[in-house]
Amino acid sequence: MSRLGRIAAETRAAWYGFTRRRTAVFFTFFFPVIIILIFGVLVQTGSAGGGLFAEPPGYYVAGYLAVVVLFTPLSRVGSEVARHRDGNRFEKLATTPLTRAEWLLAQTLVNVAVIGLASLLILGLILAVTDAVFTFSLLLVAYIALAVALFCGFGALLGRVADSQDGVVAASNGVAIPLLFLSETFVPPELLPEWFVPLLNLSPLTYFARGIRAATFQPPGTLATWRGNGAIVGHDPYLNLAVLAALAVVFFAIGAYALPQTD
C-alpha cells in the first residue's frame, strides 16, 4: 500500500472512531457554543465601562475560534495516544508499514475536518446571537488548519508523557486554560502587567489570535490601539501566519517523534 493509501485508510478509521463516540462529538460542538452564549450574550462584550470584555464584539471572534482549535486537538489526540498505549496498539502498529508521522497526520486531518465544521458553527452563531462585525477571509482556513496541526503535535506529546487518559485530560486543561487567557484572545495586552506583555510572544496561540484578528477585524480608525505591545512580527496577518506555520512544523515533528513505537 502506498503512503497516501495508508494515510487515507488511517484517516477513515480515525474518523469513524470519533463519530462512534457520541459524547465526544456532542461536547466538541457544544463547548464553544456555551462559550459564545456566555461571553457574547450574557456577559455582553463591548461594554462602555472599560475593563475585561470591553473591546468591540468583533475583537473576540479570534478568541472564540481559539477555544476550539486549542482544547479539541489537545484532548482528542492526547486521549487517543493514551488509549493506544493502554491497549498496546502502538506495538501492533509497529508491525505495519504505517509510520508514526503518518498516524499523527491522519489524526490531524480528522481534527482539521471536525474543527473546521465547529468553526463554521461558531461563526454562524456569532452572526446570529451577537452584533459582532467581522470580515470573512480565506486566511481563516490556513490559520485553523495550521493551529490544529500544531496542537495535535502538542497533544501527542502530552499523550506520551501522561500516565493515563485521566492524566491527559488534566495535563491538557493545565496547558490550555492558561494559554487561552494569556495569548491575546480574550484579555487585551493593555490589561496585563507591562513586564508580562513580551511573554505573550512565547505562546503559539498568540500568533493565531493576532493573525485572525488582523485578517477579520478592523476596529474603528486603525489597528493602532493594539500596536506597541511588544509583538515580534506586529499584527500583519501573513507574518503571523508564517510564524504559526513554522511552529506547526516544529510541534508536529516533536509530537510524531514522541509517539511510542512499543509500549
Side-chain angles (χ1 to χ4, degrees), residues 50-200:
L52 196 61
F53 304 118
E55 303 294 347
Y59 179 90
Y60 299 100
V61 172
Y64 298 139
L65 293 174
V67 171
V68 70
V69 303
L70 175 63
F71 280 89
T72 302
L74 283 181
S75 61
R76 285 203 66 249
V77 175
S79 297
E80 195 68 23
V81 172
R83 277 193 293 269
H84 274 58
R85 291 178 62 191
D86 290 342
N88 296 322
R89 297 180 188 175
F90 284 115
E91 189 168 329
K92 298 174 184 176
L93 285 176
T95 64
T96 71
L98 188 72
T99 67
R100 291 178 290 179
E102 291 169 352
W103 182 89
L104 184 57
L105 177 58
Q107 300 296 324
T108 300
L109 292 175
V110 171
N111 276 276
V112 168
V114 170
I115 294 169
L117 293 173
S119 297
L120 288 175
L121 174 63
I122 289 171
L123 294 175
L125 189 61
I126 290 171
L127 288 175
V129 303
T130 75
D131 57 353
V133 177
F134 61 92
T135 303
F136 286 99
S137 171
L138 289 178
L139 288 178
L140 280 170
V141 178
Y143 269 103
I144 290 171
L146 289 171
V148 170
L150 190 157
F151 290 111
C152 280
F154 204 151
L157 182 60
L158 292 180
R160 174 61 187 268
V161 300
D163 56 1
S164 65
Q165 292 186 47
D166 290 338
V168 168
V169 173
S172 62
N173 287 334
V175 170
I177 291 175
L179 284 182
L180 181 62
F181 292 100
L182 298 176
S183 301
E184 290 195 32
T185 50
F186 293 103
V187 182
E190 291 78 10
L191 298 182
L192 297 172
E194 185 176 351
W195 63 266
F196 186 82
V197 172
L199 299 180
L200 296 174

